[in-house]
């Protein structure tokens, strides 16, 4: 049984101003086993990117614990460690960003971009630096002869490979992929996803894969968490979640997935209304304003995130009685 490398426990993130408090992440909990890929899905604004940034400590969570099992065998709460310890952990926990155009400094060569983490963390001789950068560039499918070029000379897919190389060069154990393929053409998406899966096997990586595209998530993920308005509403092994969803929001998302089989008809379930204002969320179940199965209890009573089947968690008052449609 693989060991648990990350435990996210009751994590919340609140953005505050004088007049408004927005709970972007609301009491989210889940575990990640070593070598797994956990997909996090949901509409834009659901809090999935904020959650990812809290995990890598790009921003501080407001409350909760993010427990990481480091290579030295110790468990660290990434929210409550000093800067010196965090600096050491950062080598093991990296992030691949969504936009391959904005995430690369246009004034730096590819060599400088990939080597920057190495220069920040190690004192290496020039020949050692060049050897490591050329090696990792080859691993992600970049020709080492391109290393003197600047980012503008590359396509979106090639730029994302540069971003992947930058994340991999420190030999991390956990990588948060924040919409890592959403800005790419479909054919290029497939290439990058296959690259990520190959790298995972070769380097024994653990991924948290954030996306709004469920077909991509189904292909790459071992387990999937569904977020809505800052909350985790369902979490289960991928096949179980896609075949037997327990939350109406998951059912609606799955109904929009395109199936490459003309004999299968997947009728879309429209979500009525707009996403509620996160600064003023609804009472009871946050999803009740758009849920076609809503009853009075859903409007007034808070709903707990509980395990209904082994490994299958959901936050829905009617999970036991609804027979929801998945993808067969």
């Amino acid at each position: 049984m693989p060991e648990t490398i990350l435990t996210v426990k009751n994590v919340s993130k609140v953005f505050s101003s004088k007049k408004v408090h927005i709970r972007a992440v609301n009491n989210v909990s889940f575990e990640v086993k070593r070598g797994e890929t956990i997909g996090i899905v949901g509409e834009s604004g659901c809090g999935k990117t904020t959650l990812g940034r809290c995990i890598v400590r790009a921003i501080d969570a407001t409350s909760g614990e993010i427990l990481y099992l480091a290579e030295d065998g110790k468990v660290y709460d990434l929210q409550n460690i000093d800067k010196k310890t965090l600096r050491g952990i950062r080598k093991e926990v990296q992030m691949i960003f969504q936009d391959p155009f904005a995430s690369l400094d246009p004034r730096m060569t590819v060599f400088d971009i990939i080597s920057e983490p190495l220069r920040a963390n190690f004192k290496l001789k020039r020949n050692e630096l060049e050897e490591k950068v050329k090696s990792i560039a080859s691993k992600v499918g970049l020709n080492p002869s391109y290393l003197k070029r600047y980012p503008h000379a590359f396509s979106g897919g090639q730029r994302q490979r540069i971003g992947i190389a930058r994340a991999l060069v420190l030999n991390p154990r956990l990588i948060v992929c924040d919409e890592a393929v959403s800005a790419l053409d479909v054919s290029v998406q497939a290439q990058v996803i296959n690259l990520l899966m190959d790298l995972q096997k070769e380097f024994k990586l653990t991924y948290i894969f954030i996306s709004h595209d469920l077909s991509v998530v189904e292909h790459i993920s071992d387990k999937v968490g569904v977020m809505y308005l800052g909350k985790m509403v369902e979490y289960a092994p991928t096949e179980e979640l896609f075949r037997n969803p327990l939350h109406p929001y998951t059912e609606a998302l799955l109904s929009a997935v395109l199936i490459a089989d003309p004999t299968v008809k997947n009728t879309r379930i429209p979500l009525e209304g707009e996403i509620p204002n996160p600064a003023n969320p609804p009472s009871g179940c946050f999803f009740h304003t758009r849920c076609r199965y809503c009853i009075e209890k859903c409007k007034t009573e808070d709903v707990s995130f509980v395990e209904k089947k082994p490994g299958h968690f959901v936050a829905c008052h009617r999970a036991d009685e609804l027979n929801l449609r998945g993808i067969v």
Side-chain angles (χ1 to χ4, degrees):
M1 184 75 175
E3 60 193 357
T4 299
I5 193 171
L6 186 77
T7 302
V8 176
K9 191 181 293 185
N10 303 322
V11 167
S12 295
K13 175 61 181 176
V14 180
F15 294 101
S16 299
S17 66
K18 290 182 180 179
K19 295 182 179 179
V20 179
H21 300 282
I22 296 175
R23 192 172 286 270
V25 178
N26 194 336
N27 204 33
V28 169
S29 299
F30 63 96
E31 288 187 351
V32 184
K33 302 290 185 185
R34 186 167 186 185
E36 279 187 330
T37 298
I38 304 298
I40 305 292
V41 301
E43 294 169 289
S44 295
C46 72
K48 55 189 187 293
T49 291
T50 302
L51 175 63
R53 294 188 174 188
C54 287
I55 289 171
V56 300
R57 191 73 187 275
I59 57 175
D60 291 333
T62 305
S63 60
E65 297 176 304
I66 298 173
L67 305 176
Y68 170 70
L69 176 64
E71 197 165 21
D72 64 10
K74 296 179 182 177
V75 175
Y76 297 91
D77 181 359
L78 300 186
Q79 292 302 308
N80 294 292
I81 55 176
D82 58 75
K83 289 184 179 180
K84 184 178 178 181
T85 308
L86 180 61
R87 186 181 177 90
I89 296 295
R90 283 204 189 282
K91 300 171 192 173
E92 301 182 24
V93 182
Q94 290 288 306
M95 192 167 195
I96 299 170
F97 296 94
Q98 174 177 359
D99 190 344
F101 298 91
S103 63
L104 304 178
D105 190 331
R107 298 164 297 181
M108 296 173 69
T109 65
V110 173
F111 179 86
D112 290 336
I113 289 169
I114 297 174
S115 65
E116 187 178 30
L118 288 171
R119 287 182 276 113
N121 288 279
F122 303 102
K123 292 182 179 179
L124 297 174
K125 295 177 181 177
R126 180 71 185 186
N127 63 325
E128 292 175 322
L129 201 62
E130 288 181 355
E131 188 177 327
K132 283 184 176 292
V133 172
K134 285 180 180 178
S135 174
I136 205 69
S138 297
K139 295 285 187 187
V140 302
L142 288 171
N143 190 323
S145 66
Y146 295 167
L147 293 174
K148 293 181 180 179
R149 298 182 184 180
Y150 290 85
H152 71 264
F154 297 90
S155 67
Q158 288 173 315
R159 290 189 201 194
Q160 197 58 291
R161 288 173 191 267
I162 297 168
I164 293 169
R166 179 177 57 186
L168 273 179
V169 76
L170 290 176
N171 195 25
R173 301 168 76 233
L174 173 67
I175 298 180
V176 176
C177 306
D178 180 19
E179 299 272 12
V181 297
S182 65
L184 307 176
D185 293 338
V186 173
S187 59
V188 181
Q189 279 188 10
Q191 294 172 18
V192 173
I193 288 167
N194 289 335
L195 171 65
L196 288 170
M197 294 173 75
D198 290 342
L199 292 169
Q200 182 175 36
K201 291 177 184 175
E202 183 173 353
F203 293 102
K204 297 181 174 58
L205 298 168
T206 303
Y207 290 144
I208 295 176
F209 193 87
I210 296 167
S211 180
H212 61 270
D213 189 332
L214 271 82
S215 57
V216 170
V217 166
E218 182 184 22
H219 182 63
I220 197 172
S221 302
D222 299 298
K223 295 175 184 172
V224 179
V226 181
M227 290 185 68
Y228 182 79
L229 214 65
K231 289 190 173 186
M232 187 78 78
V233 296
E234 189 162 5
Y235 184 81
T238 304
E239 186 172 354
E240 165 68 14
L241 183 129
F242 274 70
R243 305 296 176 265
N244 303 298
L246 296 179
H247 198 282
Y249 179 59
T250 307
E251 180 190 43
L253 291 180
L254 292 174
S255 75
V257 174
L258 295 174
I259 300 173
D261 184 347
T263 64
V264 177
K265 187 176 181 181
N266 197 23
T267 307
R268 184 158 189 173
I269 300 169
L271 286 174
E272 303 294 338
E274 299 293 325
I275 299 174
N277 181 356
N280 184 28
S283 59
C285 171
F286 284 4
F287 187 61
H288 86 255
T289 58
R290 304 172 76 195
C291 181
R292 59 181 183 160
Y293 304 107
C294 175
I295 57 176
E296 197 60 34
K297 181 180 182 181
C298 305
K299 300 176 183 178
T300 56
E301 292 185 23
D302 288 340
V303 58
S304 299
F305 189 63
V306 295
E307 189 173 18
K308 289 293 184 181
K309 301 179 183 178
H312 196 154
F313 297 80
V314 68
C316 177
H317 287 303
R318 304 191 64 192
D320 291 327
E321 57 188 273
L322 295 177
N323 184 22
L324 303 182
R325 189 182 85 213
I327 298 176
V328 180

